[in-house]
Every structure is written in C-alpha cells, then in structure tokens.
Amino acid sequence: MITEEIKKRMIAIIGPENYDDSKVGRLCYSYDATPDLQALPDAVVSPRNTEEVSELVKICNEHKIPIVPRGTGTNLCGGTCPTEGGIVFLFKHMNQILELDLDNLTMTVQPGVITLDVIKKAEANGLFYPPDPGSMKSSTIGGNISENSGGLRGLKYGVTRDYVMGLEIVMANGDIIRTGGKLAKDVAGYDLTRLYVGAEGTLGIITEAILKLVPIPETKKTILALYEDLEAAARTVSKIIANKIIPATLEFLDQPTIAAVEDYVKIGLPTEAKAVLLIEQDGSPEQVEKDMAKIADICKSEQAVSVQMAKTVEEAEALTTARRTALSAIARIKPTTILEDATVPRSEIARMVKAINEIAEKYNLPICTFGHSGDGNLHPTVPTDARNKEEMERVEQAFEEIFIKAIELGGTITGEHGVGVVKAPYLELKLGAAGIEAMKAIKNGLDPNNIMNPGKVFAKDSRKRVVVGQ
C-alpha cells in the first residue's frame, strides 16, 4: 500500500525519526485497550504541527491510504485499532497547552495533551475542567474529544462535548478549518464543532481545541451508602434525582465489583454488601450540607443499611480513587476483561440492573456491574479468557441481549465508550436503517475516499472480535 516513493515524500515532511514502518514499531500500535482485537498498520507517523498533518493527509487522500488518528489507545471500542491497515498518526509532539485565557475562561490545547494535565492546570488557577474519564491520567484531549468521553462527574457537569468551544481540524482532503471560538453564542452556519466531537476520527483529525473552564466549586462532601438489596440501591438513584438534587458524582458498584476493588486497593470496603452507592456533592458549603442531609435521608428510606460521610478530604479521595480502579481490579480476575457501557434513562436503572443479573445467570457468566448510575451509564463487565472460545461465544450473546434490553428501556448501546469496531454491528438497533444512511451521507460527503479511520462506526458482517494482519 505504501510505496518507497510515498515513504520518501512523508519522510521529507516529518523527518526519518518520525516515520516508523518496522515490525516492532507497527506492532506497538496494532492494538488499543479493547480486548481480543489487533491489526497491524503499514506505518506509524508522528507529525510535529498542523501543517505537517495536513501535508501527510493530502498524500494519504491522493493514494487512498487509511488513516487512524491515535491518542494513547485507552479506548474500549477498538477505535484506534488499524483494522484496515494504513497509517497510524501519533500526536506525541503536539502535546502543549497553548494558552490559558483567564478573561474568557478558556484553555487552548493541542490534541496530545494528557487530560489530567488540563485538569491540574485549571485547578492551579482556581478553575475547573470537569470531564474526568477513568483514563484521565493517561488519555489525551484529542482522544477524549474524538470519543466524547464522559466520567464520574458527567451527571452534574456533562461530558466532553459540553466543554469544547472550538476546534482546528484537518479534513480528509488535507484542508484546515477552524470551528467555533471563544464565544458564548455563535449560530453562524452548521455546528461543525459538535459534528466532530464524538466522530471517532472518521471525519477528520483534530489538531487544536479551545476548552471551556468554569469556576472551581468551593467545597465538596462524599457519602458511602451500603445496601443488602441491589435493586434498592438502583431505586435510590432515581429517587435522588426525582427530589431535584443533582450530585456531582453518583456511582454504583455491585457486590462482585466491591469484592474485586477491595482486594485490589484494601481500604476497608464492605465486601459483604450487595451494592454500594458513592455520592459526592460540590458547591457552596450551605448547599452541600443541605443536599447531603437530604441524600442521606433518601438512602435510609430505601433501606440502606449504612450511610457514612467521609470525615476528611483524604478519606473522600480514597473512596473516589477506589471507584476509579474498578476496571483494573476486575482485570486481575481473569486474562481477558470485556467492559461495556449500556446506558438507560435514570428511571430505568433498577430494571436494567435486574436484567443484567438475569442475563448473567442465563449465560452462566460472572458479570460485575458498576458505573455512573446518576446518568444511567452502567458498565457491565465480564472477566473471561479469550482462549475459551465457547465462553467467549456466551459473552457475545450476553452483551447482545444487554444492548437490546437497554434500547427497549429507552437507552443506548454506548454512553461514553464510542462505537468503533466492537459496537458497530449493534448501531442499527439504536438508530435504524434510515439513521445509518444519514450518517453515511455525512461520512461520504466529508471523506469520499473513506480514508479517515475506516472500518469504524459502520458495521461489517460479523459481530465477533477479530484478529487480523500479520
């Protein structure tokens, strides 16, 4: 696919140190965090600026070479796995915070900036960047924008798209465009910024972003509520929201998840509890006290056996950190961990949790369920072994039923992980044939040669995870 002439042209743009087509180099970027999915790219490039990205894209478009934009590969849907071969674009050189604008409360960044660095930079200046995906210590802003990442604070503060004010984008033909800006209002033309947020790299490459910041909350408090009845915990979530209280964090862990997390972090979590709610509220001291008192009453009214307020900042941080380790903790159980993110309206949390447990029993699978219950985003997770083909078949069948149930309850197949390769076969269940055709029309219009992250979002024939390329 990549001739010596094409290789020479690319090296002339970025230098030999930023072009790698060695077997080892290609292997390093043949997979991401998605289990049981791997494919070799033909080459890996590391442009140093937007102009170099543009020139490389022009060559790829001319020769119809697939492009896979990649952050740090933390996504869980196969979004950065080069299933069609081609060239992986890395942004390790484009990793700078370009500007902190205290007058407009914005931060302008390159795509390779680590999410936690953005959060820390904002906090150091008395400001707040709320999106906090579980991978924030290693994921990049470019990846977050491409997947429209969520996080623990999504219930109160929204997701990545709510904090992207403008973008610089290299389109599939190599043209460079700018969308949005440091504006509270802008209705000039189509909202191209929103179009590219969550597009999973299938429409263009993000090379710069203007992020919105907000004032940092004055204080916060954390409650840990324990339940003997899993569905009672789920009902508590709906009741808190129905009482017009929007916590900063409202997280759910079932008993298998609690046991795995405690075995991993050892902070004294009650492993005998059937479910735990981790609830955090922030804001003014008066409002936080009022909300937390009401939340505690609601938990008790739904048969919480214990409602504990974190006594110190360190104790609260330990609880939040424990929740963030859930995936890592479960991943220690078996060689392969399949984590999904079916999402339903908050009012349907109890029914969805019950359905997941019934599906787990039907297929004889250990499903650990945790997630952002306040916004209906659950993470049913199966520790398994990809070498056990019969069990993997049951895993695929179980998740298909989970997705179908989520849609029946008014939900979706993914709340924050994206479609990528893994969920592409199920997308039509959510959008319908007409919805898929509308999306394809956008894709064909902006990327007629289908070079931008091909093989993602739009389904292939099989619903199975595959290993391709040698």
Side-chain angles (χ1 to χ4, degrees):
M1 184 178 291
I2 301 176
T3 65
E4 281 299 314
E5 178 59 30
I6 293 171
K7 178 178 176 178
K8 288 178 182 178
R9 290 175 63 188
M10 290 188 169
I11 289 175
I13 295 167
I14 58 176
E17 69 279 11
N18 292 314
Y19 183 96
D20 190 354
D21 59 1
S22 69
K23 184 67 176 289
V24 171
R26 292 158 57 215
L27 187 62
C28 289
Y29 299 101
S30 64
Y31 58 91
D32 53 30
T34 312
D36 205 24
L37 185 66
Q38 188 173 14
L40 281 173
D42 296 292
V44 180
V45 298
S46 302
R48 294 163 292 193
N49 53 56
T50 301
E51 289 67 31
E52 289 185 355
V53 174
S54 173
E55 291 304 311
L56 292 172
V57 169
K58 288 176 183 177
I59 294 173
C60 290
N61 192 48
E62 177 186 346
H63 296 279
K64 300 183 179 179
I65 299 170
I67 292 172
V68 181
R70 180 186 174 104
T72 51
T74 58
N75 82 89
L76 294 163
C77 66
T80 52
C81 183
T83 54
E84 310 281 323
I87 300 180
V88 171
F89 278 54
L90 303 181
F91 298 93
K92 61 184 182 181
H93 300 307
M94 300 175 67
N95 62 351
Q96 300 300 305
I97 295 174
L98 301 175
E99 180 191 48
L100 176 64
D101 187 338
L102 297 178
D103 292 327
N104 289 302
L105 299 186
T106 64
M107 189 184 299
T108 303
V109 301
Q110 292 182 310
V113 174
I114 299 299
T115 309
L116 186 58
D117 290 343
V118 170
I119 293 171
K120 287 182 174 179
K121 179 74 170 180
E123 289 179 350
N125 288 273
L127 296 171
F128 191 34
Y129 179 72
D132 60 337
S135 58
M136 64 182 183
K137 291 182 179 180
S138 55
S139 65
T140 65
I141 287 294
N144 289 179
I145 294 171
S146 294
E147 296 292 341
N148 191 19
S149 301
L152 274 65
R153 296 191 284 244
L155 167 61
K156 183 172 186 177
Y157 289 102
V159 295
T160 299
R161 70 164 174 252
D162 300 304
Y163 297 88
V164 179
M165 299 180 69
L167 295 171
E168 178 184 75
I169 300 158
V170 175
M171 300 180 70
N173 65 357
D175 286 352
I176 302 170
I177 65 169
R178 283 190 171 271
T179 72
K182 301 177 183 180
L183 304 165
K185 296 179 179 179
D186 182 5
V187 294
Y190 295 146
D191 192 343
L192 295 177
T193 304
R194 286 286 182 111
L195 176 63
Y196 280 90
V197 175
E200 303 188 29
T202 63
L203 302 179
I205 298 176
I206 295 164
T207 53
E208 192 175 297
I210 301 172
L211 305 176
K212 179 175 75 173
L213 306 176
V214 296
I216 198 165
E218 291 180 58
T219 190
K220 61 183 177 182
K221 287 197 171 182
T222 303
I223 279 177
L224 187 71
L226 315 182
Y227 293 82
E228 288 300 321
D229 180 0
L230 187 147
E231 291 182 37
R235 288 195 304 271
T236 300
V237 172
S238 297
K239 194 167 182 180
I240 289 171
I241 306 302
N243 274 267
K244 301 178 177 60
I245 301 171
I246 307 297
T249 296
L250 181 44
E251 296 292 303
F252 168 88
L253 294 83
D254 69 358
Q255 195 279 328
T257 307
I258 298 166
V261 169
E262 175 57 23
D263 185 59
Y264 184 41
V265 298
K266 294 178 174 57
I267 63 167
L269 291 177
T271 56
E272 72 282 358
K274 293 294 187 294
V276 160
L277 290 182
L278 178 66
I279 309 165
E280 182 182 279
Q281 183 60 302
D282 61 14
S284 68
E286 299 81 7
Q287 190 64 51
V288 170
E289 288 290 340
K290 178 181 176 182
D291 286 350
M292 290 307 248
K294 181 64 175 175
I295 287 170
D297 288 343
I298 292 170
C299 293
K300 293 171 185 175
S301 75
E302 289 294 340
Q303 287 76 55
V305 297
S306 172
V307 180
Q308 307 167 15
M309 183 86 72
K311 296 181 177 63
T312 64
V313 172
E314 291 75 21
E315 186 178 339
E317 287 296 329
L319 291 172
T320 303
T321 300
R323 160 59 187 89
R324 292 189 186 279
T325 66
L327 177 55
S328 299
I330 295 169
R332 299 166 73 236
I333 298 174
K334 283 192 175 183
T336 307
T337 305
I338 311 291
L339 179 149
E340 295 294 358
D341 69 327
T343 304
V344 295
R346 291 183 287 252
S347 59
E348 301 291 353
I349 284 284
R351 291 175 66 187
M352 190 67 216
V353 169
K354 182 180 179 182
I356 290 171
N357 289 339
E358 290 171 350
I359 291 167
E361 185 175 349
K362 175 180 177 179
Y363 289 100
N364 190 27
L365 292 170
I367 299 184
C368 303
T369 302
F370 63 96
H372 321 302
S373 54
D375 52 28
N377 186 198
L378 295 175
H379 295 312
T381 305
V382 179
T384 183
D385 188 336
R387 295 168 295 186
N388 186 336
K389 300 306 178 185
E390 185 275 331
E391 184 169 273
M392 286 296 290
E393 182 71 25
R394 285 186 280 120
V395 171
E396 296 288 349
Q397 292 171 343
F399 276 122
E400 181 169 345
E401 288 197 21
I402 288 171
F403 295 146
I404 290 171
K405 186 62 178 180
I407 292 169
E408 286 178 359
L409 294 175
T412 183
I413 61 174
T414 176
E416 60 185 4
H417 291 173
V419 176
V421 177
V422 175
K423 293 210 186 76
Y426 307 102
L427 188 59
E428 191 170 329
L429 295 175
K430 169 62 179 173
L431 299 181
I436 295 292
E437 289 305 311
M439 288 178 57
K440 284 182 176 178
I442 295 170
K443 169 70 169 172
N444 293 337
L446 293 174
D447 180 20
N449 288 329
N450 192 30
I451 64 166
M452 298 306 308
N453 214 5
K456 316 298 163 52
V457 180
F458 302 106
K460 299 293 184 180
D461 293 334
S462 173
R463 293 189 176 185
K464 304 296 182 289
R465 297 162 193 265
V466 295
V467 178
V468 299
Q470 299 298 325

